Amino acid sequence: GLAEKLQETFKKLRGKGRLTEEDVDQALKEVRRALIGADVNFMVVKDFIARIRERAVGSDVLQSLTPAQQVIKIVRDELAALMGGSQSKIATASTPPTVVMLVGLHGAGKTTSAAKLANLLRRQGRRPMLVAADVYRPAAIKQLQVLGEQLSLPVFSMGESVAPPDIARAAVEKARREGHDMVIIDTAGRLHIDDELMNELEEIASAVRPNEILLVVDAMTGQDAVNVASAFNERLALTGVILTKLDGDTRGGAALSVKALTGCPVKFAGMGEKLDALEAFHPERMADRILG
Amino acid sequence: ITGRKVIDESLYEELEEVLIQGDVGIDAALELVEKLREEVKKRRVDEPGELRRLLQEQIRQILGEDTAGLRVDEARPAVIMVVGVNGVGKTTTIGKLAYHFKRSGKSVILGASDTFRAAAVEQLEAWGNRAGVPVIKHSAGADPAAVAYDSLQAARARKMDVLIVDTAGRLHTKKNLMEELKKIHRVLGREMPGAPHEVLLVLDATTGQNAVNQARLFKDAVGVTGVILTKLDGTAKGGVVVAVKRELDIPIKMIGIGEGLEDLRPFNAAEFVAALFQ
Ligand SMILES: Nc1nc2c(ncn2[C@@H]2O[C@H](COP(=O)(O)OP(=O)(O)OP(=O)(O)O)[C@@H](O)[C@H]2O)c(=O)[nH]1
Ligand SMILES: Nc1nc2c(ncn2[C@@H]2O[C@H](COP(=O)(O)OP(=O)(O)OP(=O)(O)O)[C@@H](O)[C@H]2O)c(=O)[nH]1
Ligand SMILES: [Mg+2]
Ligand SMILES: [Mg+2]
């Protein structure tokens, strides 16, 4: 891992006497390699290294008997700080219902996460309603309906021939009438460069004014995470991120990329395919995971 | 990169960043650029524009030529098993593949071996309808290997040319799920020696370095014969397949470029590498 690499690097460097700033820059190259290897976007890594450099070339490191440990600590603390500072909570509307909208690329885990979120909110005493606003993917509505059945939670659908903004609007009206204080809207996967479909998201948002717009991101996403995150953030007022499939072995550097580009906190972590597999996001654990 | 007047360190760094940005991976990018430096020295290259061409050629060499063919003309039915982690595009790709084979004059049948995920069978049936091919399925929660077995029996009984078996998405790190996949593979092979004739791993172009882990473990479990790289219609370049080819020698057979029935193309290394540098 990075710790061993840095030990090696500093051992070689210190062999020649006192550590210098140039030596630390050598070590920071290893940090760069580790972060990019963990799929953090290379531009985000550049900024990150610049950010920590001042502390890294301070006397704490240059005069330390364990410079590798010092650098690791600086990196880890900064990573955790950058990704942290928020709670894994859904904002509540002043007048119900609270509306949550899930958006993101194809296959990221939106439909599954919508159901998981509904399950979680019900456990917290809310009365959620799921909304099937994906009218494109074959059997997408059926998929959400099956999940709703598994949870004994209502799924609002108007079939595949009604426009998603109208579905969302009708859903919120029904929720209001029937006393559902949480409306969770599942939308179709789409490319951030698909103008028409990105417009559709804006239309859904202006139709129902969501309290939360959560970008669902697959934890194994690579360098492209910055493009996706910034495009969605430009079009919509994203309020948070759900990072899915963290039950695998991907290092998950996309978490840092997305936070850096949008400023949005990762609110939840998808930790499996079952409907109870949604956890609060832990920035320190994520930092350790990214560093490998 | 164009319009450079001299070959200097910043040019090499720029090329390295292009590769990293395309998900080629930092280790691979450093190695490729190092090799490029040697080539430049050896051939005494002094034209900056030549570097990009040499680098592209290096990558093309790794990816190989003419890897796109699928073995569907030897056995009958030719059995194709489609595998991969969750959400990468397996079911959609099977719909496209079915259509592709039908267009080329073959009869196709699908096996709905994802008996776990909500509405997975309905989704495959919808694709079967679009492509005009039958789908063999059991009830929800059935044994995936049993569905695979029945699909093969049906393919033989109906004298179909191609059987494509859809499997549930699964993370390569889940031992029990990988065991389930091995069982499907075993059942097919026991029923028809040589089957499955293709085991296609679907990789999502937006995936980073984890794709190498995926390829390695799926290869260890069921022997992957080819990769289909999906979602190349986005902005991700899918550069991780360079490492997949180089480290595991798995050829890239096809690419998915959209959600429609016809959005499947044979893999073309030259085009892929050119896109990597765009
Ligand atoms: N292992 C694991 N699988 C997950 C997780 N979240 C979702 N999945 C799986 O990922 C696949 C895709 O999930 P979906 O919910 O259909 O994704 P989606 O974003 O709605 O997909 P589209 O609607 O096509 O864009 C399914 O197989 C899910 O079971 C997770 O946290 N862990
Ligand atoms: N833009 C684009 N979307 C694709 C492509 N291939 C698949 N998709 C989309 O990706 C999403 C997931 O596709 P699926 O076919 O359900 O993926 P899967 O691997 O079968 O998913 P699981 O069975 O849940 O593991 C769907 O929204 C598809 O329409 C592609 O080449 N381009
Ligand atoms: Mg969905
Ligand atoms: Mg599927």
Side-chain angles (χ1 to χ4, degrees):
Chain A
L2 180 60
E4 289 72 23
K5 279 268 163 61
L6 290 182
Q7 305 274 12
E8 245 176 80
T9 305
F10 279 119
K11 199 149 147 261
K12 282 200 208 116
L13 294 171
R14 255 220 320 239
K16 59 165 187 49
R18 301 187 62 191
L19 278 180
T20 64
E21 281 197 20
E22 286 71 32
D23 293 338
V24 174
D25 279 331
Q26 250 329 87
L28 290 180
K29 282 204 174 109
E30 286 303 329
V31 175
R32 172 178 180 259
R33 188 193 271 242
L35 292 178
I36 294 178
D39 291 327
V40 182
N41 180 271
F42 80 108
M43 292 298 285
V44 173
V45 172
K46 225 177 223 170
D47 292 343
F48 180 84
I49 299 287
R51 232 183 139 100
I52 63 167
R53 189 178 180 278
E54 189 164 341
R55 274 181 69 196
V57 299
S59 56
D60 281 356
V61 176
L62 296 185
Q63 296 171 9
S64 169
L65 292 176
T66 56
Q69 281 185 34
Q70 291 291 91
V71 172
I72 292 265
K73 180 165 192 328
I74 292 168
V75 173
R76 191 190 170 284
D77 289 351
E78 187 64 20
L79 274 180
L82 284 174
M83 290 190 295
S86 81
Q87 294 177 305
S88 290
K89 283 229 195 94
I90 295 291
T92 306
S94 44
T95 31
T98 296
V99 180
V100 179
M101 188 175 156
L102 298 188
V103 303
L105 292 186
H106 306 90
K110 298 175 293 298
T111 304
T112 309
S113 299
K116 289 178 181 179
L117 195 54
N119 193 19
L120 180 69
L121 291 167
R122 189 245 316 264
R123 289 228 192 97
Q124 293 175 354
R126 306 305 196 89
R127 288 180 310 279
M129 164 202 269
L130 286 160
V131 182
D134 178 354
V135 302
Y136 307 106
R137 167 174 155 154
I141 295 174
K142 185 79 192 18
Q143 182 185 4
L144 193 63
Q145 286 172 332
V146 169
L147 296 180
E149 274 166 41
Q150 289 175 4
L151 295 173
S152 304
L153 284 174
V155 175
F156 180 89
S157 162
M158 293 178 81
E160 294 180 342
S161 45
V162 177
D166 297 329
I167 297 174
R169 199 177 294 111
V172 173
E173 284 169 15
K174 179 159 205 230
R176 201 169 282 132
R177 283 200 312 275
E178 300 190 348
H180 292 288
D181 58 352
M182 278 280 168
V183 174
I184 300 162
I185 305 173
D186 178 27
T187 67
R190 68 203 64 216
L191 293 178
H192 51 296
I193 52 173
D194 185 329
D195 224 18
E196 205 171 310
L197 284 183
M198 291 304 283
N199 286 342
E200 179 187 274
L201 284 185
E202 290 179 336
E203 285 172 32
I204 298 174
S206 52
V208 295
R209 309 236 152 270
N211 305 91
E212 293 268 8
I213 302 183
L214 304 177
L215 180 66
V216 180
V217 177
D218 192 324
M220 60 191 187
T221 307
Q223 297 289 304
D224 199 47
V226 296
N227 302 325
V228 178
S230 47
F232 274 88
N233 203 33
E234 267 164 44
R235 299 288 209 119
L236 303 163
L238 296 180
T239 59
V241 172
I242 298 181
L243 198 61
T244 62
K245 308 175 202 173
L246 276 169
D247 45 318
D249 64 351
T250 188
R251 299 267 290 283
L256 183 62
S257 300
V258 172
K259 180 83 206 294
L261 265 296
T262 64
C264 287
V266 178
K267 294 207 171 196
F268 298 101
M271 293 293 294
E273 294 193 69
K274 301 227 165 71
L275 298 180
D276 56 1
L278 190 71
E279 299 178 5
F281 178 71
H282 298 287
E284 320 78 17
R285 282 189 217 167
M286 196 71 216
D288 286 332
R289 179 181 184 134
I290 289 175
L291 290 179
Chain B
I1 302 178
T2 49
R4 286 266 180 172
K5 295 283 182 284
V6 64
I7 296 175
D8 59 6
E9 195 48 38
S10 64
L11 176 51
Y12 285 112
E13 280 178 13
E14 200 172 314
L15 288 170
E16 183 190 305
E17 286 187 348
V18 168
L19 295 180
I20 289 172
Q21 195 166 20
D23 282 318
V24 167
I26 183 158
D27 290 341
L30 292 175
E31 280 176 46
L32 285 165
V33 170
E34 195 46 39
K35 211 162 158 269
L36 177 66
R37 266 185 240 268
E38 294 171 10
E39 275 300 290
V40 166
K41 242 197 192 147
K42 196 169 99 200
R43 298 191 195 191
R44 301 168 195 263
V45 177
D46 62 356
E47 182 54 55
E50 188 60 7
L51 261 61
R52 180 165 138 166
R53 196 193 66 76
L54 284 173
L55 187 55
Q56 289 187 348
E57 184 51 32
Q58 263 187 59
I59 301 173
R60 290 234 329 251
Q61 293 280 351
I62 294 173
L63 291 173
E65 292 295 335
D66 191 27
T67 64
L70 289 176
R71 294 178 45 218
V72 291
D73 296 319
E74 302 159 21
R76 186 141 150 291
V79 180
I80 300 177
M81 195 175 155
V82 178
V83 304
V85 303
N86 306 73
V88 294
K90 297 177 293 299
T91 305
T92 305
T93 299
I94 289 171
K96 298 173 184 177
L97 272 173
Y99 182 69
H100 162 87
F101 287 129
K102 260 203 94 181
R103 283 267 301 274
S104 72
K106 297 198 178 293
S107 56
V108 184
I109 187 165
L110 307 181
S113 277
D114 179 354
T115 58
F116 168 74
R117 210 211 64 212
V121 174
E122 287 85 340
Q123 184 190 8
L124 187 68
E125 284 186 306
W127 280 107
N129 282 330
R130 286 183 183 185
V133 305
V135 178
I136 301 298
K137 64 179 181 180
H138 285 192
S139 47
D143 176 7
V147 183
Y149 178 90
D150 280 355
S151 311
L152 184 46
Q153 300 292 49
R156 285 171 146 168
R158 305 181 203 191
K159 301 202 172 11
M160 303 300 244
D161 296 319
V162 184
L163 161 64
I164 312 176
V165 178
D166 189 13
T167 64
R170 70 202 66 221
L171 295 183
H172 48 294
T173 46
K174 312 234 160 153
K175 292 219 158 34
N176 58 327
L177 298 184
M178 294 307 279
E179 285 306 312
E180 176 186 90
L181 203 63
K182 286 184 192 172
K183 182 178 173 201
I184 298 173
H185 190 271
R186 241 187 345 263
V187 161
L188 289 170
R190 210 166 41 215
E191 192 50 29
M192 176 183 190
H197 307 92
E198 291 275 4
V199 176
L200 300 179
L201 173 68
V202 178
L203 294 178
D204 185 328
T206 66
T207 303
Q209 297 310 297
N210 195 249
V212 182
N213 299 25
Q214 295 172 24
R216 184 172 295 118
L217 290 192
F218 275 95
K219 178 181 175 187
D220 287 347
V222 291
V224 173
T225 58
V227 160
I228 299 188
L229 184 63
T230 60
K231 309 181 196 173
L232 269 176
D233 45 318
T235 50
K237 308 283 183 170
V240 67
V241 297
V242 176
V244 170
K245 177 64 168 59
R246 194 179 59 166
E247 291 182 36
L248 303 167
D249 201 23
I250 302 172
I252 319 309
K253 302 263 187 179
M254 312 196 85
I255 61 172
I257 54 163
E259 298 189 77
L261 209 50
E262 310 198 30
D263 293 330
L264 189 70
R265 300 264 180 288
F267 179 71
N268 179 312
E271 289 176 5
F272 178 82
V273 176
L276 200 54
F277 284 79
Q278 267 157 20

